[in-house]
Amino acid sequence: VRLLAALNKPDLGMQQLESLVKQDVSLSVRVLRFVNSAAIPIRTEVGTIGQALVLIGMEPIRKWASVWCLAGLNAGAPELATLALVRARSCELIGERTKGLEAPELFLVGLFSLLDVMLSRSMGDVLDNLPLSPSTADALLGRDNRERATLDAVIAYESGEWDHVSDVARLAGVDTTALPAAYTAALRWAQEVARGGIISPPSP
């Protein structure tokens, strides 16, 4: 959780990010494995954390490092991490297609939506340690805003609550017809990520 908090500080610089990654062996291995995978189209193998971070970029590595931290929190129950990934990607895709919503912020809303379950703590306690934007924190705490309505629409869709999907999608200003495509694409993406070993624990 401390690492998640540090990664999500708005003023985090590249040198600070490199220092954070280097302090965590598992995270360092994941970064190098990711940058040398098919996900990053480069021709030469990368051997240092600094090179990897420059190639991936600040925002993508913050996003992926948050994913890896979450997977590490719940290594004993990977299905929860996978569900959080599906929610994150669904929310992100909807955000990309909906005026007035921020896709990166919605990715975090979906990704962190199960943190309370993973840590067996209240969401309020968890968020006390995370420097999230007010709108993201409010959404995760269940307060009414467009980000929360978007997450609720995704959760309703995954639960098959079709009538509720329409109601909360309207509150978010989201086109209900976009949900099936977004959720299907998110499922496919999460499966590809898992199959590629990008979120699985590094081998000893």
Side-chain angles (χ1 to χ4, degrees), residues 34 45 56 69 75-76 81 85 88 94 102 114 120 139 147 189 194 203-204:
F34 179 64
E45 187 165 308
I56 298 172
C69 285
L85 269 185
I94 291 169
E102 295 292 331
L114 292 167
S120 299
E147 290 78 11
W189 176 81
S203 301

Side-chain angles (χ1 to χ4, degrees), residues 103-179:
E105 186 171 345
L106 280 168
F107 184 89
L108 287 182
V109 169
L111 188 67
F112 294 162
S113 63
L114 292 167
L115 268 180
D116 54 340
V117 179
M118 293 179 176
L119 297 173
S120 299
R121 294 165 58 189
S122 71
M123 187 62 82
D125 286 345
V126 174
L127 297 190
D128 279 345
N129 299 306
L130 293 177
L132 301 176
S133 71
S135 57
T136 297
D138 284 347
L140 290 169
L141 289 168
R143 296 170 183 157
D144 291 339
N145 61 17
R146 291 186 68 191
E147 290 78 11
R148 180 69 208 190
T150 303
L151 175 62
D152 284 342
V154 169
I155 293 172
Y157 188 85
E158 78 184 19
S159 302
E161 299 174 1
W162 313 120
D163 292 339
H164 191 47
V165 169
S166 300
D167 292 340
V168 291
R170 279 195 294 270
L171 290 174
V174 169
D175 180 2
T176 307
T177 61
L179 268 167

Side-chain angles (χ1 to χ4, degrees), residues 8 11 26 30 39 53 66 81 83 89 94 98 121-122 130 133-135 146 148 162 184 190 194:
N8 285 283
D11 57 349
S26 175
R30 288 175 193 264
L53 296 179
S66 294
L83 180 57
R89 183 61 174 155
I94 291 169
T98 307
R121 294 165 58 189
S122 71
L130 293 177
S133 71
S135 57
R146 291 186 68 191
R148 180 69 208 190
W162 313 120
T184 300

Side-chain angles (χ1 to χ4, degrees), residues 40-125:
I40 304 293
I42 57 174
R43 295 183 180 179
T44 58
E45 187 165 308
V46 175
T48 70
I49 298 299
Q51 288 176 328
L53 296 179
V54 169
L55 282 167
I56 298 172
M58 172 69 84
E59 290 311 311
I61 198 61
R62 287 171 73 157
K63 169 181 168 178
W64 278 104
S66 294
V67 169
W68 294 322
C69 285
L70 198 77
L73 281 175
N74 224 42
E79 65 278 358
L80 275 181
T82 301
L83 180 57
L85 269 185
V86 173
R87 288 183 181 181
R89 183 61 174 155
S90 297
C91 289
E92 182 180 44
L93 288 172
I94 291 169
E96 290 173 354
R97 302 170 188 176
T98 307
K99 187 176 181 180
L101 291 176
E102 295 292 331
E105 186 171 345
L106 280 168
F107 184 89
L108 287 182
V109 169
L111 188 67
F112 294 162
S113 63
L114 292 167
L115 268 180
D116 54 340
V117 179
M118 293 179 176
L119 297 173
S120 299
R121 294 165 58 189
S122 71
M123 187 62 82
D125 286 345

